[in-house]
Amino acid sequence: MTDITDTEQLKAYLGKRSHSEFDLNSLQLLAGGTANFIWRLIERSGKRVIIKHAEPYLKTAPGLSFSVDRMDFEHKTMMSVPRLLDPSSLVSIPEVYQYDLDSHVLMMEDGGARTLKEAYADAALDISAFGHALGRWLVGLHQRTKDVVIGDNQTAKSMYRFAYSCLASALQKYGQDPSLAEQIDAQYGSLLQTDDECVCHGDFWPGNVLINDEGRSTIVDWEMVRRGCGATDVGQFAAEAHLLDRFRGGRGLRAAFLKGYRGTGELDNTFLKRVAIHMGVHLAFWPTRVSWGTDKETKELVEVGYSLLRRALGQRENWLTGSLLDELEE
């Protein structure tokens, strides 16, 4: 496999492949992301292209191995799933232009310069409209991919289990009962290995939603895609939307997203509990690793996640009422 970790190496790679339509001087290495090397390039026609390359390690931590098959799963999904989804939606998956399986170089459509997370505080954006559209799109993904075969992405499954496996230490650090985390991991974390209901994005959060000036959204970073339970996608996005609402201006992203996902359909109690469990795990664990506020505010987030987990495990009939998932109720 070709090492491509800087712009000069990418220029050499492209030069050997006679991409005369590319203006190589326009190559721009993009910041952000932990796993891959990503550039934006402008064709001589003016079209913008994203070039993504995977090395067998994390970009931000070269000492940590990370299987390059993650990009094979991403490519396969981006080629097979879009034709199944609603073409009239304001949400889409980038068009793939080319994939080099040997060098793990993926060339695709440029979905926009800002993520929804970055643009959240922009007063000109209708955040509720974006949230609702994303919820409707996600339910379409889950409903229309029940029979889609993408292979067994073990890397994605192990990464997704991480928060469940490490939750006990986070709860203990912030004064909550770690035995609850052990129960959650045994009862629900273990399901991540065997869930097989539909295609799940696997890392569905506002940082993987690109937006443009026309009000369209593009869903990127499909490396953690897997067959699973759609409730985990819902729980992750709802948790991250809550964090944005809590710390960046309270613009209602979480509620709009959940209302969009629910639509006019009915979600059964088992699915709702999975959403709550995953959202609770996310809120109780990830803010202890990725800071959103002060230590006191982190403690409060852990308590919010812990409380949601307790609700989901309880036997109350109306356990969802008044919770962060209230919008999913009938």
Side-chain angles (χ1 to χ4, degrees), residues 20-34:
S20 58
E21 72 275 22
F22 292 162
D23 176 7
L24 298 184
N25 292 323
S26 72
L27 276 171
Q28 174 191 5
L29 180 63
L30 302 182
T34 59

Side-chain angles (χ1 to χ4, degrees), residues 206-227:
N208 281 335
V209 178
L210 297 178
I211 63 172
N212 64 22
D213 296 334
E214 287 76 50
R216 299 191 63 85
S217 304
T218 304
I219 311 302
V220 297
D221 284 357
W222 288 82
E223 298 158 89
M224 294 296 101
V225 67
R226 71 189 198 289
R227 295 280 308 176

